[in-house]
Amino acid sequence: DSSTPLIMETRLLLREGVTVYLPHYLRNWNRLETNRNWLFLLLSVAGGLLIYSIYGGWLYLKNISGANRKLSGYIDELAQSQERFRLILDSMAEGIYGTDDKGNCVFVNHACIEMLGYTNEAELLGHDMHYLIHHSYPDGSPYPIANCPAYPPSVRPEGGHITDEVFWRKDGSAIPVEYWVRPVLENSQEIRCVVAWFDVSAQRQVE
């Protein structure tokens, strides 16, 4: 076969002291050639997969980096929004608090904390507001939670306006109040209703 390489083998004839060249064809050349072709093919595929993997990894890291930047931006916006919300709440003269679907306090403003005789929001957050500040009628008799207009399951869709009840301060004294309660109608998992109220002690004394 003319395509099979011809190999020149050198041999030294010691007795004669001469070097001779013996030509012969390389054995199993076709098999070696086939194996070499397969090796080149496998190397090409492996190289392609390596390049694809590197490119895919680069795209993944690029997308992750972009997503992290967006998430960081959302977190910053949320923090700014919460800060604005807090500034607005604490600028209000009336007491304001919000409760979840079980009546537990989820936010409260500075005026509410101060008028109820507490020192910080931690004393109110997470606590059932009815049992904490609205547990009794003005005469001291127990106020059933099922009758409370501010208890989330009892809040009407249009809300309510109450003018003849009291809230109870931390020291056990009663404050005549006028308050408004509004349900949170959007699909919020945290806030179910918001209560805004005034201390009307001065008005009651005049009356």
Side-chain angles (χ1 to χ4, degrees), residues 26-37:
L26 185 63
R27 295 178 181 178
N28 300 323
W29 170 253
N30 291 334
R31 183 183 299 175
L32 291 174
E33 184 71 12
T34 300
N35 291 342
R36 186 183 66 175
N37 291 337

Side-chain angles (χ1 to χ4, degrees), residues 1-206:
D1 186 354
S2 59
S3 64
T4 303
L6 182 64
I7 302 299
M8 299 298 292
E9 182 180 357
T10 303
R11 288 189 180 181
L12 176 63
L13 301 178
L14 297 177
R15 180 176 298 178
E16 290 79 7
V18 297
T19 300
V20 297
Y21 298 91
L22 302 176
H24 63 85
Y25 290 100
L26 185 63
R27 295 178 181 178
N28 300 323
W29 170 253
N30 291 334
R31 183 183 299 175
L32 291 174
E33 184 71 12
T34 300
N35 291 342
R36 186 183 66 175
N37 291 337
W38 276 109
L39 179 60
F40 286 159
L41 177 61
L42 290 174
L43 289 175
S44 298
V45 172
L49 290 175
L50 178 61
I51 293 173
Y52 179 78
S53 299
I54 293 173
Y55 180 69
W58 176 78
L59 284 179
Y60 175 77
L61 292 176
K62 180 181 179 183
N63 291 336
I64 288 294
S65 177
N68 286 339
R69 285 196 297 270
K70 289 182 180 179
L71 179 60
S72 178
Y74 294 150
I75 292 175
D76 290 342
E77 290 179 7
L78 179 61
Q80 292 175 4
S81 176
Q82 291 177 335
E83 184 177 358
R84 287 193 294 269
F85 176 67
R86 171 54 61 183
L87 289 173
I88 292 171
L89 275 182
D90 288 340
S91 69
M92 300 287 188
E94 66 267 30
I96 300 175
Y97 67 87
T99 60
D100 61 16
D101 57 353
K102 296 180 180 179
N104 297 320
C105 182
V106 293
F107 72 83
V108 59
N109 73 341
H110 181 72
C112 183
I113 296 169
E114 188 176 65
M115 286 190 290
L116 291 173
Y118 291 92
T119 56
N120 57 70
E121 64 179 10
E123 295 180 274
L124 297 170
L125 293 179
H127 292 279
D128 187 312
M129 292 301 282
H130 179 78
Y131 289 112
L132 194 65
I133 69 169
H134 200 208
H135 48 77
S136 302
Y137 287 109
D139 62 3
S141 59
Y143 195 149
I145 192 171
N147 298 339
C148 175
Y151 182 53
S154 304
V155 176
R156 296 174 297 179
E158 68 275 16
H161 178 206
I162 294 83
T163 61
D164 58 351
E165 294 186 351
V166 298
F167 285 168
W168 296 86
R169 292 168 51 88
K170 183 179 180 179
D171 63 6
S173 60
I175 313 171
V177 296
E178 180 178 358
Y179 68 91
W180 292 258
V181 55
R182 292 288 184 270
V184 177
L185 300 179
E186 60 186 47
N187 188 25
S188 171
Q189 296 299 317
E190 183 178 6
I191 304 173
R192 279 290 180 250
C193 72
V194 176
V195 176
W197 61 279
F198 286 101
D199 179 350
V200 293
S201 300
Q203 293 91 315
R204 293 290 184 270
Q205 290 176 358
V206 171

